[in-house]
Amino acid sequence: MDENAEPVDESGATSPSAGDIARRIELRSQALGLTDEQVAKQAGMSPRYLQHLKALGTNFDPGALLRVAAALQVTYRELLEGRPDAPPGQASAAPHPVLVKLTTPECWDKLGEHGIGRVAVSGEAGPAVLPVNYTVDSGTIVYRTTTDSVTALAVGSEVAFEVDHVDEHLRQGWSVLIVGTAEHITDPDTVQRLADEPEAKPWAGGARDLWIRIAPARVTGRRISTL
């Protein structure tokens, strides 16, 4: 195939994933500090040909995309579909997104009985956001940690707690934010009751004997859907 000639999409249609592939090429190139010219050279093609690949995607020249993937140090599948462990939200936004406020009961319903969320605290070293296993207990958020952890230093101060979920395929999701005061749980019976719950075992492992409760002052949430 003559890479200096205008390529023709023999299927008569642009691949639906062409835009996502082009975006992945651009993002990966930026992460590696490569220009289009450098990527094209490493993939054995002209920069103009690379632009055509971005525009036409898999319908045009899969073999050339395979060489681009190698130049970008990713697999062919990762180039086409994205990394399976990539951060959420890398897909393009829905064509007609709608942002809706959640009611307080809807927020608690989204949180469920337990899960993994993020605690935002401010300490001597500055602000920090850390993931924690949490349990919902009588309208509060409870998590366990170690006495020397950053999240333990939040006791007595105002903290933020956030949980979200993103559906990449449907391009919709939700987010719940709780702002309140963190306090130690010192009652032995309460500690024992919480420790006996099946979901209380922390994913991070280790001895985490300090229990902290966040008493909410504000509970807000948002949901993104499509028309």
Side-chain angles (χ1 to χ4, degrees), residues 1-3 7-10 15 21 43-45 49-50 52-69 76 79-80:
M1 183 178 291
D2 182 3
E3 294 184 354
V8 177
D9 181 3
E10 296 178 355
S15 169
I21 292 174
M45 64 185 66
Y49 199 79
L50 177 60
H52 287 309
L53 279 176
K54 290 181 180 182
L56 297 176
T58 56
N59 282 348
F60 175 52
D61 190 346
L65 279 177
L66 183 60
R67 301 201 306 273
V68 171
Y76 182 69
L79 185 61
L80 267 57

Side-chain angles (χ1 to χ4, degrees), residues 132-206:
V132 294
N133 291 76
Y134 73 87
T135 299
V136 174
D137 184 60
S138 301
T140 66
I141 299 296
V142 173
Y143 65 90
R144 60 192 304 180
T145 186
T146 60
T147 56
D148 59 349
S149 70
V150 175
T151 52
L153 300 177
V155 171
S157 60
E158 187 177 63
V159 300
F161 175 81
E162 193 264 351
V163 178
D164 57 39
H165 173 74
V166 175
D167 187 319
E168 292 278 359
H169 178 67
L170 297 178
R171 288 180 285 183
Q172 62 186 27
W174 56 264
S175 174
V176 171
L177 176 66
I178 290 177
V179 176
T181 302
E183 58 186 33
H184 281 164
I185 299 177
T186 56
D187 177 65
D189 292 337
T190 301
V191 169
Q192 187 61 53
R193 174 177 60 81
L194 292 170
D196 288 341
E197 295 184 3
E199 62 273 9
K201 186 175 181 179
W203 279 27

Side-chain angles (χ1 to χ4, degrees), residues 85-126:
D85 62 342
Q90 292 198 354
S92 58
H96 303 290
V98 176
L99 184 62
V100 179
K101 290 184 178 180
L102 298 176
T103 65
T104 298
E106 288 175 331
C107 290
W108 287 109
D109 182 62
K110 293 293 186 185
L111 291 174
E113 297 179 354
H114 64 278
I116 293 180
R118 288 174 291 277
V119 176
V121 301
S122 182
E124 294 181 359

